[in-house]
Every structure is written in structure tokens, then in C-alpha cells.
Amino acid sequence: MKPDRNNSKSNSRPKVQLSRRAFISKTALIASAISIVPRHVLGRGFVPPSDKVNLGYIGLGKQSITLSNAFMVHTDQAQIVAGSDVWTTKNNWFKAHVSSLYAEKRNQGNYKGITTTGNYLEILERDDIDAVIVATPDHWHAIQAIGAMKAGKHVYCEKPLTLKIQEGIDMVETVKKTGKVLQTGSMQRSWATFQKATEIVQNGHLGEIKKVLVNVGDPAVPFNMPSEPVPAEVDWNQWCGPAPLLPYNQRLSPPESKAFFPDWRLFNETGGGILTDWGAHMFDIAQWGLGMDRSGPVKFVPPADKNAVRGMRMFYENGIEMIHEDFGRGWGVRFIGSKGNLDISRSYLETDPPSILKSQTSKKEDMKSRGNHYQNWIDAIKNETPLIADVEIGHRSATVGNICNIAYQLGRTLEWDPSKEKFIGDKEANKMKSRKNRKY
């Protein structure tokens, strides 16, 4: 409670005149006292402007190396102090990698190095960690991100944000309750080419948008890999965690020495197929371009062939149709308008006619990079600046892919209410918004 400025007792205190020397001495004592107060005492998640954001990584597979490089190279106000994985060898691998990065940098000041653990909860319990990067398989995202926010940590969570729709609803609610800053790892939003593409669409240069084609991979399938011996270096029960206890196969979770990316993303027990893995990128761009970041399609119509892995038709309330379709140019998005079309992916940005793009792009414009997805998150933590891919954006984009998986699986038209986030008149589909997690 703030003191009452009109309180007679407070006004009756005698005035004290301080000499210049006494004032400087007293100020120095106060400053030194503040400097040694742990940041958690000042408020959960508070990061003094002069401090670096202390980061803990949860999930130390190949993506963690990419993300450690990103936060080391592309930010100057953060430092990696901890990591956690159920693989002992990945803990060692990550620690060595981060240590080598810091060894190459000078003037690290008070940096005390990195510690690793097999239990991510130990990271959440540490008062010196301000924020976490969640880079585990999809079936862990919501549990770890929500747990981190409740523990007072800010979160950078890899895409797709969630495995199930209800998880996203819960994550949005947790951000509201805790006030934590959650950035979705949909880094395409910070790329100049995708920003330019959505500007062209939103500013009406294609005319009225009639249709959007999104080419990403196949829906998820049930796990179907043969069992292999479980390596001694991994706690397989904890890797599966809330998912069913699956047989081990190195394609599902490879040792760090393997060059290939893991296949857990293909199976509905642990991922959403390439449909959600890349859909979290490309459906995200479609949603952004159409101005539907806080909403989504209202109808999902699967193809008549129940074995088909393309052909899902989605309709927004304004009549725009979006189709999961291979238009022959790799993973990407095609906006079809009354005045022309626009194709966008990581390797091209083109319009038909070409004059649309030419008229909207300056010769001096840098189309390689316009933003810094990682610094954007750090800035939001320290300065409360806007995020480019906040929790609601990540949740809504993931929801599109999650509903596609449900519709492909059920093989029937689904009507979706984006405001209530429920299927209309379909109890079975609504049950599939979530699942009962395994006790582990």
C-alpha cells in the first residue's frame, strides 16, 4: 500500500539537510544494495535493463544448436546458462557447443558458464533463469511452456506451438494469467520476403482474394516403426512423457551423432505430421496475409478419397477458400486474387503479373532480412515491446493444422467456431481437441 501523502504523521517528519558528501555516500550504499538483490526478489520474470536475459534450454536436439547460434549471434542482451535433455550425451554435446561459442567471444564479463541436467524441472526451479527455450518434440510443448510460465519464466516455444487444440487454448490463458512473454518460433514472420508478401496481399495489390493454396506435407499417422534396443544414454520413459510409451527406434529420437532429423513429427502420438510441422510455417503466412491471426477457417471439407493426403478445403467466414494442395513449387503459399497471384516460399517471392511485385519493391530494399525474431523476443521481455509471433498467433496457426488432421482422420466435413474454439454439432471431433496424457 502506498503511504498517504496527506497523512499528518508523514508530514510531521523533520526535514534533514544532507551534505554533498553524505548524499553521495548514501546513494552509493543504496545502489550497491540494489545491485546485489536477486532479480526474483524484484518480481517474477523481472530483468533489470542493464542485465542480460539468462536463458535455459529444454530439449537439446539439433534444433537447439540452431537456436543457440541464433541467440548467441543475433542478440546481444541474452546469455545461455543452462540446458536440459533426457539424453546424457545431448547434455554433454550442448554444453560443449555453447562453451565453445562463448570461448570465441570476448568480454563476457560475469558469465559463469553453463550447467546441464536430465530433469527440466530443475531449470524451472532456478531463480537466476529468466526465460526458457522449449525445443522438445511437439507432445511436450504445452506442458513445459505452461510450467515455465507458472514458474515465472518467459518462453520461446518452437513451432508448431501445440499438438492438441486445447493445449493452445490453455497456453493463451496462461499467458494472460501470468503476464509472461511467449514468442512462437515461426521465424518466417521476421523475414523480409514474407513481410513483403503479406503487405502486398493486405494492401489490396492482388485485388480481392478469392483462394489460397498451401502446400505442406502429409497428415500424421499412427506410430508404425519396429522396436530397437533402448540406448543406455536416454531415459526413454521421460522422452515419451505424456505420450504413450512407444517402442524405441532411432528414427524417432536419434543420438546426436546421427545426421538426419528425427521422425517423431510424423506420428500422431508425438507430432502432427509434416502437415503441422510445415503447416505451422505456411498456414501461418496464409493466416497473416488474410488478416486472420486471431481467427481461422469456419469449415473444413476433406477429400472424398479417405486415403488422400492432400485436398483439404477450408473456408473462412468471408468466403475465401484455402486448400491444402501441391501447386508444384515445394512448400509454399499461393494467394489468388482478382488482379493477380502471388507465390511465396523460402526460395521465391513472385507475382503474376510481375509488375505487381516490381511496383511494390524498392531497388534499395533488403529482401534478405528485415527483422530479428530472437532479439524481438528479448526486447519484449526487457522493454514490453510487441511480439511478432505471440501466443495467440502461434496457437491459431497450429489450430489450422490440428483441425486438418482431425478432418482427414474422420473423413467428414467439420464446422468450426473460431470465437468459441469448438466444433459445431460434432461431439467426436470436440473430444479430439485434447487427449488424456500418460502418467510418467
Side-chain angles (χ1 to χ4, degrees), residues 377-411:
W377 179 53
I378 300 300
D379 289 342
I381 292 172
K382 295 176 72 69
N383 305 318
E384 299 185 19
T385 48
L387 287 168
I388 196 167
D390 63 35
V391 65
E392 179 81 16
I393 288 171
H395 161 52
R396 293 291 185 165
S397 294
T399 293
V400 174
N402 289 333
I403 295 178
C404 280
N405 265 320
I406 293 173
Y408 273 120
Q409 184 174 339
L410 294 178

Short mmCIF file of all heavy atoms in Angstrom, two decimals, residues 377-411:
data_model
loop_
_atom_site.label_atom_id
_atom_site.label_comp_id
_atom_site.label_asym_id
_atom_site.label_seq_id
_atom_site.Cartn_x
_atom_site.Cartn_y
_atom_site.Cartn_z
N TRP A 377 12.01 -11.08 -29.27
CA TRP A 377 11.56 -11.69 -28.01
C TRP A 377 12.29 -11.07 -26.81
O TRP A 377 11.67 -10.73 -25.80
CB TRP A 377 11.79 -13.20 -28.06
CG TRP A 377 11.40 -13.96 -26.84
CD1 TRP A 377 10.19 -13.93 -26.20
CD2 TRP A 377 12.21 -14.89 -26.11
NE1 TRP A 377 10.19 -14.80 -25.12
CE2 TRP A 377 11.43 -15.39 -25.05
CE3 TRP A 377 13.51 -15.34 -26.28
CZ2 TRP A 377 11.92 -16.33 -24.15
CZ3 TRP A 377 14.00 -16.30 -25.38
CH2 TRP A 377 13.22 -16.78 -24.33
N ILE A 378 13.61 -10.93 -26.92
CA ILE A 378 14.39 -10.34 -25.84
C ILE A 378 13.92 -8.91 -25.56
O ILE A 378 13.76 -8.50 -24.40
CB ILE A 378 15.89 -10.36 -26.17
CG1 ILE A 378 16.38 -11.81 -26.38
CG2 ILE A 378 16.69 -9.68 -25.07
CD1 ILE A 378 16.21 -12.72 -25.19
N ASP A 379 13.69 -8.15 -26.61
CA ASP A 379 13.20 -6.78 -26.45
C ASP A 379 11.85 -6.75 -25.74
O ASP A 379 11.59 -5.87 -24.90
CB ASP A 379 13.07 -6.09 -27.81
CG ASP A 379 14.42 -5.78 -28.44
OD1 ASP A 379 15.44 -5.78 -27.71
OD2 ASP A 379 14.47 -5.56 -29.66
N ALA A 380 10.99 -7.70 -26.08
CA ALA A 380 9.67 -7.75 -25.45
C ALA A 380 9.78 -8.06 -23.96
O ALA A 380 9.02 -7.54 -23.14
CB ALA A 380 8.80 -8.79 -26.15
N ILE A 381 10.74 -8.91 -23.60
CA ILE A 381 10.95 -9.25 -22.19
C ILE A 381 11.46 -8.04 -21.42
O ILE A 381 10.99 -7.74 -20.31
CB ILE A 381 11.96 -10.41 -22.07
CG1 ILE A 381 11.35 -11.71 -22.61
CG2 ILE A 381 12.41 -10.60 -20.62
CD1 ILE A 381 12.34 -12.86 -22.70
N LYS A 382 12.39 -7.31 -21.99
CA LYS A 382 13.04 -6.21 -21.27
C LYS A 382 12.28 -4.89 -21.37
O LYS A 382 12.29 -4.09 -20.44
CB LYS A 382 14.47 -6.03 -21.80
CG LYS A 382 15.39 -7.22 -21.52
CD LYS A 382 16.75 -7.05 -22.13
CE LYS A 382 17.57 -6.00 -21.41
NZ LYS A 382 17.98 -6.43 -20.06
N ASN A 383 11.61 -4.68 -22.51
CA ASN A 383 11.02 -3.37 -22.76
C ASN A 383 9.52 -3.40 -23.02
O ASN A 383 8.93 -2.35 -23.32
CB ASN A 383 11.71 -2.72 -23.97
CG ASN A 383 13.21 -2.65 -23.79
OD1 ASN A 383 13.71 -2.33 -22.71
ND2 ASN A 383 13.96 -2.98 -24.84
N GLU A 384 8.91 -4.59 -22.96
CA GLU A 384 7.47 -4.74 -23.20
C GLU A 384 7.06 -4.27 -24.59
O GLU A 384 5.96 -3.74 -24.79
CB GLU A 384 6.65 -4.01 -22.12
CG GLU A 384 6.90 -4.53 -20.71
CD GLU A 384 6.00 -3.87 -19.67
OE1 GLU A 384 4.97 -3.30 -20.06
OE2 GLU A 384 6.33 -3.94 -18.47
N THR A 385 7.94 -4.46 -25.56
CA THR A 385 7.62 -4.12 -26.94
C THR A 385 6.82 -5.26 -27.58
O THR A 385 6.85 -6.39 -27.09
CB THR A 385 8.90 -3.87 -27.74
OG1 THR A 385 9.82 -4.94 -27.49
CG2 THR A 385 9.55 -2.56 -27.31
N PRO A 386 6.09 -5.00 -28.68
CA PRO A 386 5.22 -6.02 -29.27
C PRO A 386 6.00 -7.21 -29.84
O PRO A 386 7.11 -7.05 -30.37
CB PRO A 386 4.49 -5.27 -30.38
CG PRO A 386 4.61 -3.83 -30.02
CD PRO A 386 5.93 -3.68 -29.32
N LEU A 387 5.40 -8.38 -29.73
CA LEU A 387 5.95 -9.59 -30.34
C LEU A 387 5.46 -9.73 -31.77
O LEU A 387 4.33 -9.34 -32.09
CB LEU A 387 5.52 -10.83 -29.55
CG LEU A 387 6.17 -11.06 -28.20
CD1 LEU A 387 5.41 -12.14 -27.44
CD2 LEU A 387 7.63 -11.45 -28.35
N ILE A 388 6.26 -10.35 -32.60
CA ILE A 388 5.83 -10.58 -33.98
C ILE A 388 5.08 -11.90 -34.12
O ILE A 388 4.34 -12.11 -35.08
CB ILE A 388 7.02 -10.53 -34.96
CG1 ILE A 388 6.51 -10.37 -36.40
CG2 ILE A 388 7.91 -11.75 -34.81
CD1 ILE A 388 7.57 -10.01 -37.39
N ALA A 389 5.24 -12.81 -33.15
CA ALA A 389 4.54 -14.11 -33.22
C ALA A 389 4.12 -14.53 -31.82
O ALA A 389 4.65 -15.48 -31.25
CB ALA A 389 5.43 -15.17 -33.86
N ASP A 390 3.16 -13.79 -31.26
CA ASP A 390 2.75 -14.05 -29.88
C ASP A 390 1.98 -15.36 -29.75
O ASP A 390 1.75 -16.08 -30.73
CB ASP A 390 1.94 -12.87 -29.34
CG ASP A 390 0.63 -12.64 -30.09
OD1 ASP A 390 -0.01 -13.62 -30.53
OD2 ASP A 390 0.23 -11.47 -30.24
N VAL A 391 1.59 -15.68 -28.54
CA VAL A 391 0.98 -16.98 -28.25
C VAL A 391 -0.31 -17.20 -29.03
O VAL A 391 -0.58 -18.31 -29.50
CB VAL A 391 0.74 -17.14 -26.73
CG1 VAL A 391 -0.29 -16.14 -26.22
CG2 VAL A 391 0.31 -18.56 -26.38
N GLU A 392 -1.12 -16.16 -29.18
CA GLU A 392 -2.39 -16.30 -29.90
C GLU A 392 -2.15 -16.60 -31.37
O GLU A 392 -2.81 -17.46 -31.96
CB GLU A 392 -3.22 -15.02 -29.76
CG GLU A 392 -4.55 -15.05 -30.50
CD GLU A 392 -5.65 -15.78 -29.75
OE1 GLU A 392 -5.49 -16.01 -28.54
OE2 GLU A 392 -6.68 -16.11 -30.38
N ILE A 393 -1.17 -15.92 -31.97
CA ILE A 393 -0.83 -16.17 -33.36
C ILE A 393 -0.36 -17.60 -33.55
O ILE A 393 -0.81 -18.31 -34.45
CB ILE A 393 0.26 -15.17 -33.83
CG1 ILE A 393 -0.32 -13.77 -33.97
CG2 ILE A 393 0.90 -15.63 -35.14
CD1 ILE A 393 0.71 -12.69 -34.22
N GLY A 394 0.57 -18.04 -32.68
CA GLY A 394 1.07 -19.41 -32.78
C GLY A 394 0.00 -20.44 -32.58
O GLY A 394 -0.05 -21.47 -33.27
N HIS A 395 -0.89 -20.19 -31.62
CA HIS A 395 -1.98 -21.12 -31.34
C HIS A 395 -2.96 -21.22 -32.51
O HIS A 395 -3.34 -22.33 -32.92
CB HIS A 395 -2.71 -20.65 -30.08
CG HIS A 395 -4.08 -21.20 -29.89
ND1 HIS A 395 -4.37 -22.54 -29.94
CD2 HIS A 395 -5.29 -20.57 -29.69
CE1 HIS A 395 -5.67 -22.72 -29.75
NE2 HIS A 395 -6.24 -21.54 -29.62
N ARG A 396 -3.34 -20.09 -33.09
CA ARG A 396 -4.32 -20.11 -34.18
C ARG A 396 -3.76 -20.78 -35.43
O ARG A 396 -4.47 -21.52 -36.12
CB ARG A 396 -4.77 -18.69 -34.50
CG ARG A 396 -5.55 -18.02 -33.39
CD ARG A 396 -6.91 -18.63 -33.18
NE ARG A 396 -7.69 -17.90 -32.18
CZ ARG A 396 -9.01 -18.03 -32.01
NH1 ARG A 396 -9.69 -18.88 -32.76
NH2 ARG A 396 -9.62 -17.34 -31.08
N SER A 397 -2.47 -20.54 -35.72
CA SER A 397 -1.86 -21.18 -36.88
C SER A 397 -1.74 -22.68 -36.67
O SER A 397 -1.98 -23.47 -37.59
CB SER A 397 -0.49 -20.56 -37.17
OG SER A 397 -0.63 -19.21 -37.57
N ALA A 398 -1.36 -23.09 -35.45
CA ALA A 398 -1.28 -24.52 -35.14
C ALA A 398 -2.66 -25.17 -35.21
O ALA A 398 -2.79 -26.32 -35.65
CB ALA A 398 -0.67 -24.73 -33.75
N THR A 399 -3.68 -24.43 -34.81
CA THR A 399 -5.05 -24.97 -34.81
C THR A 399 -5.49 -25.36 -36.22
O THR A 399 -6.17 -26.37 -36.41
CB THR A 399 -6.02 -23.95 -34.21
OG1 THR A 399 -5.73 -23.79 -32.81
CG2 THR A 399 -7.47 -24.40 -34.34
N VAL A 400 -5.11 -24.56 -37.22
CA VAL A 400 -5.49 -24.90 -38.60
C VAL A 400 -4.98 -26.28 -38.95
O VAL A 400 -5.72 -27.13 -39.46
CB VAL A 400 -4.95 -23.85 -39.59
CG1 VAL A 400 -5.23 -24.29 -41.03
CG2 VAL A 400 -5.56 -22.48 -39.33
N GLY A 401 -3.70 -26.54 -38.69
CA GLY A 401 -3.14 -27.86 -38.98
C GLY A 401 -3.74 -28.95 -38.13
O GLY A 401 -3.99 -30.06 -38.62
N ASN A 402 -3.99 -28.66 -36.86
CA ASN A 402 -4.58 -29.66 -35.97
C ASN A 402 -5.99 -30.06 -36.42
O ASN A 402 -6.36 -31.24 -36.37
CB ASN A 402 -4.61 -29.15 -34.53
CG ASN A 402 -3.23 -29.06 -33.90
OD1 ASN A 402 -2.32 -29.80 -34.29
ND2 ASN A 402 -3.05 -28.17 -32.95
N ILE A 403 -6.77 -29.09 -36.86
CA ILE A 403 -8.12 -29.41 -37.35
C ILE A 403 -8.03 -30.19 -38.65
O ILE A 403 -8.82 -31.13 -38.88
CB ILE A 403 -8.97 -28.14 -37.52
CG1 ILE A 403 -9.20 -27.47 -36.17
CG2 ILE A 403 -10.32 -28.49 -38.17
CD1 ILE A 403 -10.00 -26.17 -36.26
N CYS A 404 -7.09 -29.85 -39.51
CA CYS A 404 -6.91 -30.62 -40.75
C CYS A 404 -6.65 -32.09 -40.43
O CYS A 404 -7.23 -32.98 -41.06
CB CYS A 404 -5.75 -30.05 -41.56
SG CYS A 404 -6.15 -28.59 -42.53
N ASN A 405 -5.79 -32.35 -39.46
CA ASN A 405 -5.52 -33.73 -39.06
C ASN A 405 -6.78 -34.44 -38.60
O ASN A 405 -7.02 -35.60 -38.94
CB ASN A 405 -4.46 -33.76 -37.95
CG ASN A 405 -3.06 -33.97 -38.49
OD1 ASN A 405 -2.83 -34.74 -39.41
ND2 ASN A 405 -2.09 -33.27 -37.91
N ILE A 406 -7.58 -33.75 -37.81
CA ILE A 406 -8.83 -34.35 -37.31
C ILE A 406 -9.78 -34.63 -38.47
O ILE A 406 -10.39 -35.71 -38.55
CB ILE A 406 -9.50 -33.41 -36.28
CG1 ILE A 406 -8.64 -33.31 -35.01
CG2 ILE A 406 -10.90 -33.91 -35.91
CD1 ILE A 406 -9.13 -32.29 -34.01
N ALA A 407 -9.91 -33.67 -39.38
CA ALA A 407 -10.83 -33.83 -40.52
C ALA A 407 -10.36 -34.94 -41.46
O ALA A 407 -11.17 -35.72 -41.97
CB ALA A 407 -10.99 -32.52 -41.26
N TYR A 408 -9.05 -35.01 -41.72
CA TYR A 408 -8.52 -36.10 -42.55
C TYR A 408 -8.81 -37.45 -41.88
O TYR A 408 -9.16 -38.43 -42.55
CB TYR A 408 -7.02 -35.95 -42.75
CG TYR A 408 -6.60 -35.08 -43.92
CD1 TYR A 408 -5.84 -33.94 -43.72
CD2 TYR A 408 -6.96 -35.42 -45.23
CE1 TYR A 408 -5.44 -33.14 -44.79
CE2 TYR A 408 -6.56 -34.64 -46.30
CZ TYR A 408 -5.81 -33.50 -46.08
OH TYR A 408 -5.42 -32.72 -47.16
N GLN A 409 -8.65 -37.51 -40.57
CA GLN A 409 -8.86 -38.76 -39.85
C GLN A 409 -10.32 -39.18 -39.82
O GLN A 409 -10.66 -40.35 -40.06
CB GLN A 409 -8.34 -38.63 -38.41
CG GLN A 409 -8.42 -39.92 -37.60
CD GLN A 409 -7.77 -39.79 -36.23
OE1 GLN A 409 -6.94 -38.91 -36.02
NE2 GLN A 409 -8.15 -40.64 -35.31
N LEU A 410 -11.22 -38.22 -39.58
CA LEU A 410 -12.65 -38.54 -39.51
C LEU A 410 -13.28 -38.69 -40.89
O LEU A 410 -14.29 -39.39 -41.05
CB LEU A 410 -13.39 -37.47 -38.71
CG LEU A 410 -13.04 -37.36 -37.22
CD1 LEU A 410 -13.81 -36.22 -36.59
CD2 LEU A 410 -13.32 -38.67 -36.49
N GLY A 411 -12.72 -38.02 -41.88
CA GLY A 411 -13.22 -38.14 -43.24
C GLY A 411 -14.57 -37.50 -43.47
O GLY A 411 -15.32 -37.93 -44.34
#
